[in-house]
Amino acid sequence: MPVGLSVGGALGDPSPSRSFHPSRYVPVSAAAAFLVGATTLFLCFTCPWLSERFSSSIPLYNVVIFLFTLANFCMATFMDPGIFPRAEEDEDKEDDFRAPLNKTVDVRGIQVRMKWCTSCRFYRPPRCSHCSVCDNCVEDFDHHCPWVNNCIGRRNYRYFFLFLLSLTIHIMNVFGFSLLYILHHTKQLDQVHSAVTMAVMCVAGLFFVPVAGLTGFHVVLVARGRTTNEQVTGKFRGGANPFTHGCLKNIAHMLCSSQAPRYLGRLRKPHSVQVQPPFLRPPLSEAQLAAKVLDNGIQQSKSSLEIMESQSTDADPPPPPKPEHRYPGLPHTQNEECSLLTETPPTPSLYKYKPAYSSPGKKHTASTHSSKMSRGNSMTESPSVPVTTGQPSYCSDPSLSSRGGAGCRGGGEGGRAGSGGLGGASGFGGRSYPSFTDTLLQSAAASCSSSLRTAQTAHNALGPLISEGTTSTSYKSLANQTRNGSLSYESLLTPSESPEFESAAHELSPPRPQPPHSLSTAPGAPPILGYTSPFLSAQQREGSLQACPAPLRPSPNRAFLCPTSSPPSRAPPLSPRARSLGSPPPGPAPGHTPLGKSLSYGGGAELQHHPSSSGGGTPMPNSTIKQNMANHNTHSHKPAGGVKKVTGVGGTTYEISVVND
Amino acid sequence: MATEFHNLQELRHSASLANKVFIQRDYTDGTICKFQTKFPSELDSRIERTLFEDTVKMLNNYYAEAEKIGGQSYLEGCLACLTVYLIFLCIETRYEKVLKKISWYIQEQNEKVYAPRGLLITDPIERGMRVIEISVYEDHGSSGSSSGSSTTSSSGR
């Protein structure tokens, strides 16, 4: 009856291992039958005479050995050999799509390969193997024994070995004592007792050869510290075995180690610990801050991807997310305004737009986008806490967070939403992709929230570019792109600053050394589409910038300025690079780049150059540029198709085509 | 609208699982249970390196203690043989005792160190002792606001 035979099928379980295979139970049943049957016969027919003739200790001894054999047989049969539970989905998320088939690990100086198990979904630890009969990965897999119908692994190898040992001894006992009986009853061989004894003797003799052979084999294996699997597959034939500790120690390990725990069937205690925000954050070291800048892309891509997938393209600008609520005791107003007003060097363009969003920001009218962003924001540290740099990983400008510039981090945190660059908090309205130009323009108010918002929209823009079903693959690919983008920006933007924005910088911000600063101040209102640099906000705040580690400052700008490692001398090469930069999550590079590189998303893919607006030479989309144009006349707005040549600070020359949208 | 704000404020301080970090086993000393003490970059901003390393080192020590072959484990083995393994029904093996200690330690660490930082460590035994799983939580808000808006929209209909 098919249904009866395939229990799994009846229950809808497609796993073949679940189906009932009666043939599997034949060897184990036969082994049990022979063992118990023969011994019982021996004890009943032979032992009474032995106890009378010689001593009653003989049957006792035989019984003890028999019980020991039986116990080990049962343990070997019924004990979990060390089955690994299947890996949960979230564990292999990263591995699945780009997982190499094998991972090599160094075990005591010898390279051991860890294979990816497709059924169990993890890399098999050394010495682990997947049993096709049981459909399980077993730790320290020895072999699958049909006589016990079980895998022999780490947990039950000891019992299996002792079973073999004791069975050999038992067989020898039975054979020996049976022989003794026969030799003393040569003239009564026609008796039942003799006949039975002879039969038992034959069975014992028959089984002795294979059992003893197997026992000897395993004695050698234990001495060498190998498993049957390793021996049979010839793994350590020529080379050294990294798993051996010497003969005696191997024996000790096998016999005397504490019983290993089972992994399956354990009572899982639910977490009794509650995780409640606000969360403590560790203070970042300078090295970490620097590292964060470079790491931005990867983390950004991941988080931004999450955000993108969950967001829908929304015509309405998401309201500015509420400021960091890590420390709820602190008034929001204080966070936003305080930092902006007190810490930031006065920047007219910035404050022009800020007020419009300060109150909404506080109320934080929720929209999915902004909510997502604020989620991201929440990751960054609270503006009120200068010390905790919060999400360094997501904030391209660690100094921002650390300096109480945190104030506007609320916006900058937008960067957290996977666009470290967007962190620009600085009220630059962050960047967004051309498709959201209108939205951005509206929200461009240079408030923190605006930057956040654009970050969100940027994420939205990115959404269509990347399939929803994007997996870790895209994460990694995005990360790579972002990183490249950052690097290219870096090269573009020589150590000192974004060359493109030099001219603008003059007008907008006094000190040349702070191109980002000028950059941030320049655009002010217009939303900087493309990459928002957290440095925008940072640079706005002179003070915070000072504290910024030197290498840190230039790098973000650099990151945004140059899509490629070599300073581009013409616009066209920039376009493709811009495109590549565009694909990663918004604001990958910490440096805000009004360079209109975001246009790549809109298909414009032309690197917009807006020197006046930027201080930091961040790419700006067309719309941003237009906006900026309005605000900063220093920048000569080229007609569509025009190529602007900008001399960078470092002496590099860039030709950027400015395209009107 | 009011509903939205209300929900937002209510859910503002909830934490949501953002990411999971897996600390892999360190096989450089063989198949003994030992975890890598290398500090993962994902936790860089969440917890101090020293705290993390202390936790992992402590766990490694516990596991080493569990797998130690000494008097107690030998005695356990002998006793088990003599009683035909029936002793396992009565007493707890050394390994199990140490696992309990480990479980207690992890809970303590979670309460004192990790949960305040928005992290949670999962006992590696639940993963077959292949990885230490650290769940990274983010605080709230988006889930709150999104649910708020959805509530609003649904109520609007």
Side-chain angles (χ1 to χ4, degrees), chain A residues 36 43 76 82 103 129-130 135 146 210 235 256 275 287 303 336 338 343 357 383 391 435 554 630:
Chain A
V36 175
L43 290 172
K103 227 164 51 167
S129 190
H130 191 94
D135 193 26
K235 269 201 185 114
C256 305
V275 176
S303 55
E336 267 190 303
C338 193
E343 298 174 19
Y357 291 87
Q391 291 316 322
S435 53

Side-chain angles (χ1 to χ4, degrees), chain A residues 67-68 71-72 75 79 84-88 90-92 94 103 105-109 114 120-127 139-140 154 158-159 162 242-243 245 249 252-263 266-269 271-284 288 291-292 295 299 302 306 322 324-326 328 332 363-368 370-376 378-379 390-394 416, chain B residues 1 4-5 8-9 11-20 22 24-33 36 39 41-49 66-70 72-78 80-82 84-85 88 93-96 99-100 103-104 106-108 110-131 133 135-149:
Chain A
L67 284 179
F68 190 65
N72 283 305
M75 293 294 264
M79 179 168 264
F84 282 113
R86 299 280 201 268
E88 295 194 355
D90 44 22
E91 190 181 333
D92 66 13
E94 289 183 13
K103 227 164 51 167
V105 76
D106 189 305
V107 180
R108 295 164 84 199
M114 285 170 55
C120 305
R121 316 200 59 74
F122 54 76
Y123 284 100
R124 290 185 204 136
R127 299 197 118 179
E139 189 175 9
D140 288 2
R154 178 185 176 191
R158 176 190 330 184
Y159 308 112
L162 289 174
F243 304 109
H245 302 98
K249 276 205 174 153
H253 267 271
M254 192 262 296
L255 286 177
C256 305
S257 63
S258 183
Q259 175 64 50
R262 68 173 189 279
Y263 302 131
R266 294 191 79 88
L267 287 171
R268 222 187 225 202
K269 285 195 315 184
H271 277 295
S272 55
V273 181
Q274 293 294 321
V275 176
Q276 283 283 345
F279 297 144
L280 300 175
R281 302 283 177 178
L284 281 187
Q288 283 174 309
K292 284 305 157 230
D295 270 350
Q299 286 139 349
K302 221 178 195 168
E306 288 165 5
K322 50 189 177 185
E324 182 60 41
H325 288 305
R326 187 174 314 286
H332 306 314
K363 278 190 190 151
H364 187 37
T365 343
S367 77
T368 328
S370 56
S371 66
K372 295 273 180 253
M373 288 305 297
S374 43
R375 174 163 60 98
S378 63
M379 285 217 7
Q391 291 316 322
S393 58
Y394 295 91
R416 183 275 181 232
Chain B
M1 269 319 181
E4 254 183 78
F5 296 139
L8 277 177
Q9 278 149 29
L11 300 165
R12 179 181 300 180
H13 294 298
S14 65
S16 60
L17 181 63
N19 190 16
K20 281 192 183 181
F22 295 99
Q24 299 291 331
R25 279 269 291 268
D26 177 10
Y27 293 109
T28 51
D29 288 333
T31 48
I32 60 163
C33 186
Q36 291 178 359
F39 189 66
S41 53
E42 295 92 337
L43 297 181
D44 215 356
S45 58
R46 303 301 300 259
I47 188 164
E48 288 84 349
R49 186 180 291 257
E67 295 182 353
K68 195 170 69 121
I69 297 169
Q72 190 186 350
S73 59
Y74 179 72
L75 219 57
E76 239 174 45
C78 285
C81 276
L82 292 176
V84 195
Y85 307 115
F88 288 138
T93 66
R94 176 196 177 83
Y95 215 118
E96 288 288 343
L99 283 181
K100 277 217 170 103
S103 176
W104 176 89
I106 287 175
Q107 179 155 350
E108 186 207 14
N110 273 337
E111 280 168 14
K112 292 191 182 155
V113 177
Y114 288 84
R117 289 168 172 79
L119 304 169
L120 267 190
I121 299 182
T122 305
D123 198 333
I125 195 77
E126 293 178 18
R127 296 280 175 269
M129 296 210 327
R130 292 179 295 105
V131 288
E133 178 186 313
S135 309
V136 180
Y137 289 86
E138 292 307 336
D139 55 10
H140 83 264
S142 55
S143 52
S145 50
S146 51
S147 57
S149 46

Side-chain angles (χ1 to χ4, degrees), chain A residues 135-272:
Chain A
D135 193 26
N136 286 313
C137 264
V138 175
E139 189 175 9
D140 288 2
F141 180 79
D142 192 84
H143 68 284
H144 180 92
C145 183
W147 303 105
V148 298
N149 190 32
N150 195 15
C151 280
I152 307 299
R154 178 185 176 191
R155 293 187 77 230
N156 63 353
Y157 183 81
R158 176 190 330 184
Y159 308 112
F160 177 76
F161 183 81
L162 289 174
F163 164 66
L164 285 181
L165 215 54
S166 57
L167 186 63
T168 310
I169 296 169
H170 182 60
I171 289 175
M172 289 196 302
N173 289 338
V174 167
F175 186 85
F177 288 116
S178 298
L179 189 65
L180 194 64
Y181 180 93
I182 294 296
L183 289 176
H184 284 261
H185 291 82
T186 45
K187 301 211 171 60
Q188 296 132 29
L189 288 178
D190 52 340
Q191 280 181 6
V192 177
H193 286 244
S194 302
V196 167
T197 306
M198 281 201 49
V200 167
M201 215 173 82
C202 289
V203 167
L206 200 67
F207 279 107
F208 178 75
V209 173
V211 171
L214 197 59
T215 308
F217 176 68
H218 277 273
V219 166
V220 170
L221 283 184
V222 169
R224 281 185 171 176
R226 292 185 195 175
T227 63
T228 305
N229 186 263
E230 286 164 358
Q231 178 69 29
V232 164
T233 55
K235 269 201 185 114
F236 307 119
R237 200 172 290 157
N241 180 1
F243 304 109
T244 183
H245 302 98
C247 181
L248 287 175
K249 276 205 174 153
N250 291 337
I251 295 169
H253 267 271
M254 192 262 296
L255 286 177
C256 305
S257 63
S258 183
Q259 175 64 50
R262 68 173 189 279
Y263 302 131
L264 293 184
R266 294 191 79 88
L267 287 171
R268 222 187 225 202
K269 285 195 315 184
H271 277 295
S272 55

